[in-house]
């Protein structure tokens, strides 16, 4: 085989390999695809209009997530509403499906944890900790000297999390958590605490990022606390 023919074969292999690599990247799911599929899969019912989709969670439709689109079928954002008030996960995507921001809204406008794309550095950054909020759970059958609380944690953008709690901020004990039934990407931890406990400390070990977001680590450990009222 002459040298020119060998060179031609190598070039052909290179171009075929490049095309196959590009095709595989195009077929891989974007962060937008992953988030949208999970919302649709976990919703209890839905209502579609020309501009957005409303996905309902909970048997009484207590929580609704609104999927908002650009002029074409491309998803541009997701907002959540609890009993009519803005609450929970909020996603913003650019026209190409890249994550602009993720926030967990607690009172209509403020967020407790967020992932944001920084244009200056072309990287994503995390602000806050995945400890989101807590809910006092009233139960007439419970001991009156004990407070029952549900603590919420964000699982986004990582797939798994180990959660430990402490009452003194020094000794932590791992506790079981469940997927929160009212919205995706949120864990729920229920604790029964003495009434004299005013602060609960948490250690959150998050691993296995669901999609590469430049600037974010695959694993990260957070520490946070919640002051009880």
């Amino acid at each position: 085989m002459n040298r020119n023919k060998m060179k031609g074969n190598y070039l052909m292999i290179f171009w075929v390999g490049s095309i196959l690599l590009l095709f595989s990247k195009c077929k891989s799911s974007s962060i937008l695809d992953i988030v949208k599929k999970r919302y649709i899969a976990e919703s209890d019912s839905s209502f579609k209009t020309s501009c957005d989709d409303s996905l309902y969670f909970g048997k009484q439709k207590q929580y609704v997530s609104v999927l908002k689109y650009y002029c074409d079928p491309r998803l541009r954002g997701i907002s959540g509403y609890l009993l009519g008030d803005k609450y929970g996960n909020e996603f913003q995507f650019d026209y190409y499906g890249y994550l602009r921001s993720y926030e967990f809204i607690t009172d209509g406008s403020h967020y407790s944890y967020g992932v944001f794309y920084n244009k200056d550095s072309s990287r994503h950054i995390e602000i806050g900790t995945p400890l989101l909020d807590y809910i006092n759970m009233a139960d007439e059958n419970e001991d009156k000297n004990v407070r029952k609380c549900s603590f919420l944690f964000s699982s986004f953008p990582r797939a798994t999390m180990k959660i430990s709690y402490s009452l003194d901020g020094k000794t932590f004990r791992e506790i079981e958590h469940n997927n929160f039934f009212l919205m995706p990407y949120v864990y729920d931890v229920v604790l029964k605490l003495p009434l004299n406990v005013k602060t609960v400390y948490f250690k959150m070990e998050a691993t296995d990022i669901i999609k590469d977001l430049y600037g974010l680590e695959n694993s990260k450990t957070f520490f946070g606390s919640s002051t009880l009222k």
Side-chain angles (χ1 to χ4, degrees):
M1 185 181 292
N2 61 48
R3 181 173 287 181
N4 288 335
K5 193 170 183 180
M6 288 179 65
K7 185 177 180 181
N9 288 340
Y10 287 138
L11 286 173
M12 178 65 70
I13 293 170
F14 172 78
W15 284 114
V16 169
S18 299
I19 291 170
L20 289 174
L21 180 61
L22 179 62
F23 180 73
S24 67
K25 286 185 176 180
C26 291
K27 289 203 59 154
S28 63
S29 296
S30 68
I31 189 73
L32 182 152
D33 294 329
I34 294 170
V35 170
K36 183 178 179 180
K37 286 178 181 177
R38 179 161 177 183
Y39 264 82
I40 292 173
E42 294 186 12
S43 64
D44 296 298
S45 59
S46 63
F47 179 78
K48 187 175 182 65
T49 71
S50 59
C51 300
D52 55 48
D53 293 340
S54 294
L55 303 179
Y56 297 97
F57 297 82
K59 292 181 180 179
Q60 305 301 321
K61 297 184 178 180
Q62 302 101 312
Y63 191 79
V64 58
S65 292
V66 180
L67 279 61
K68 303 173 184 178
Y69 295 87
Y70 288 98
C71 296
D72 56 29
R74 295 174 188 260
L75 182 67
R76 65 182 175 89
I78 300 174
S79 296
Y81 299 86
L82 179 63
L83 301 175
D85 295 323
K86 200 169 190 180
Y87 184 85
N89 297 324
E90 181 159 310
F91 293 88
Q92 296 294 332
F93 303 96
D94 69 12
Y95 189 74
Y96 301 98
Y98 200 64
L99 181 70
R100 283 180 176 172
S101 65
Y102 161 77
E103 302 170 87
F104 190 93
I105 306 297
T106 54
D107 61 359
S109 59
H110 298 92
Y111 67 90
S112 52
Y113 171 67
V115 177
F116 303 93
Y117 179 70
N118 187 305
K119 291 182 180 179
D120 295 331
S121 63
S122 299
R123 298 163 67 95
H124 282 89
I125 59 173
E126 293 175 90
I127 297 178
T129 75
L131 173 58
L132 306 173
D133 200 0
Y134 85 91
I135 303 168
N136 282 315
M137 303 173 67
D139 189 339
E140 294 180 357
N141 298 319
E142 289 291 335
D143 184 345
K144 300 303 179 182
N145 296 314
V146 172
R147 182 200 314 237
K148 188 176 181 180
C149 297
S150 171
F151 296 88
L152 303 182
F153 301 81
S154 174
S155 67
F156 187 85
R158 298 174 180 87
T160 58
M161 180 181 285
K162 185 169 76 171
I163 301 172
S164 305
Y165 81 100
S166 171
L167 300 183
D168 61 7
K170 300 175 182 178
T171 304
F172 287 84
R173 184 172 68 179
E174 187 176 352
I175 187 170
E176 180 181 354
H177 60 271
N178 301 296
N179 290 323
F180 189 45
F181 74 103
L182 282 183
M183 65 191 80
Y185 295 108
V186 174
Y187 291 134
D188 175 31
V189 167
V190 176
L191 291 175
K192 295 181 180 180
L193 303 164
L195 290 180
N196 63 347
V197 171
K198 301 302 180 184
T199 303
V200 184
Y201 304 88
F202 291 96
K203 178 182 180 181
M204 299 146 277
E205 299 170 86
T207 57
D208 303 325
I209 203 159
I210 60 175
K211 188 71 177 179
D212 287 341
L213 294 172
Y214 185 63
L216 301 189
E217 305 162 76
N218 184 61
S219 301
K220 188 171 182 178
T221 298
F222 302 85
F223 290 90
S225 63
S226 185
T227 302
L228 307 181
K229 297 178 181 179

